[in-house]
Amino acid sequence: MSRQGTLSELDRGHDAPRWLQRIRGAYSLLVVRQSNNGPDKLGGLRLWPVGRALAAVFLSAVVVAGSAFWLLVEVLSVHQLKTETKLTSSTLFDMVKLSFGVVAGSGALVALVVAYRRQRIDEDGALREATRLHTERFTTAVSQLGDESAAVRLGGIHALAGLADDAPSRNLRQTCIDVLCAYLRLPYVYGQTDNQEARTAYLALREVRHTVIRLIRDHLRLPPEDPHSWQGHDFDFEGAVFDGGDFTGAIFSSGRVSFTHTEFFSGKTDFSEASFSGARVIFNRAIFSNGVVNFDNARFSGEVSFDDAHFKNSYVSFNRIKQPQGVISYKGATFSDGIARFNRARFSGEVSFTDAEFSGTATLFDYAVFSRGAASFDRIRLSGSAVNFGAAKFLNEQLDFSGAELEEGSIAFHDAIFMGGQIAISEAHFLGAHVDFSGACGVAPLTIWGLEDALPNGLTLPDSWAPPPR
């Protein structure tokens, strides 16, 4: 019913001083490190000594002037200079003007160097002041997260989101995002209770947590060119508990997004219309139980991993997802006592269910399209489950069931359409389950690997696919 810790302890703030101090310490260390990382970082202004800067400027001016003079001589095709034996008043006046021009130019160069240095110092001072104010606001906002009042915590959440928007550097914005994610990772008790006071406290805390999720979602919906967009940043939800939450339309682009060991319990967590493009998104060992998780119409074009995830007594929907490229991996995942839908999904990259286990569940791929990749179901274990590929399309796709342990249940391809490709079922063990291709139509696979002279009991192929006698 609960993870480590209790709601009452969290609401009373018993753990708050420790984690608040860690966050403040990490933030201060980040600012100090940035102060020592060169002119492009906070507080890291480095200027040459005045003498060296002036020498470099004068040398550059001489080189530029000499180059310009040489270029003009070449353009005018000058072969010799006209000499004068007498110093006329006109020539003397020209020499005086040239001397004053050199002096004035030298003074202008000195003024330019001084003005540039003053501007850099003023900019650095303004950046230092902005960072100081940002740090003060950060400390105040983080302190609010440990307050007993849910209303004060909500204020702290919104203040942190505003700080992330106003952060003077990308690293400081990432720090604010990390704190919001860390809040979701705090010990959390979920569930119903007959105690009215405890239930009120639970609902208040739940509202604060869902506000964090909404703020993250809203910033991930903004286009990358928007100054308040959080796309491309890292999000660490490892070990968090989600009893609902709305990520609809969020765009996870580049960066690293981790839902490792995350538990999706009760309620509805919605990733519909979300886009996973370029980011490395990890749901490894996540637990989906007693709730609804919706990925309908999501777009997966990066690396998305559900390895060793557990889908138990839950409804998980991947209907109409699009995978134009990339990898979706469910290696070692367990599907038990629930429903997983991949209806009308379009897989144009690699999708892998290697070593997955289907026990007492229904997994549906009706009208799904597999093309330009490989669908791996090798070494899966089927026990009391139904996996349906009704009217699915396999366009030159390699379908791999090699090494599968098929104890009980069915894998059906009724009305599925095959356009070439290959099917691998070598070393598959038919121990009572039925794999039925009899309703399939279209072009037979180019190769059906692993068949002996007689079809194994439990495997049914269309007459046109039957292997020739040996």
Side-chain angles (χ1 to χ4, degrees), residues 45-61 104-122:
L45 182 63
R46 295 180 182 179
L47 295 175
W48 284 2
V50 176
R52 183 187 301 177
L54 288 174
V57 170
F58 276 108
L59 179 60
S60 300
S106 300
L109 287 176
V110 172
L112 180 63
V113 171
V114 173
Y116 171 76
R117 290 171 65 86
R118 182 181 295 115
Q119 179 66 23
R120 289 294 306 276
I121 292 172
D122 290 345

Side-chain angles (χ1 to χ4, degrees), residues 22 25 44 104 122 170 190 260 295 353 382 399 412 415 443 448 451:
R22 290 178 179 174
D122 290 345
R170 179 180 176 85
Y190 45 83
T260 303
F295 288 90
F353 288 84
L382 185 71
L399 187 59
D415 299 319
V443 180
I448 301 179
L451 295 181

Side-chain angles (χ1 to χ4, degrees), residues 118-180:
R118 182 181 295 115
Q119 179 66 23
R120 289 294 306 276
I121 292 172
D122 290 345
E123 290 176 354
D124 185 69
L127 189 56
R128 286 176 180 271
E129 179 64 18
T131 303
R132 184 185 66 79
L133 294 176
H134 184 88
T135 303
E136 291 178 356
R137 292 171 59 194
F138 178 87
T139 302
T140 301
V142 171
S143 299
Q144 290 177 309
L145 299 185
D147 196 273
E148 295 182 358
S149 170
V152 175
R153 292 187 188 183
L154 282 172
I157 294 299
H158 284 281
L160 271 176
L163 276 173
D165 292 339
D166 300 336
S169 76
R170 179 180 176 85
N171 285 340
L172 293 183
R173 171 175 289 182
Q174 181 64 60
T175 301
C176 295
I177 294 173
D178 289 343
V179 174
L180 293 174

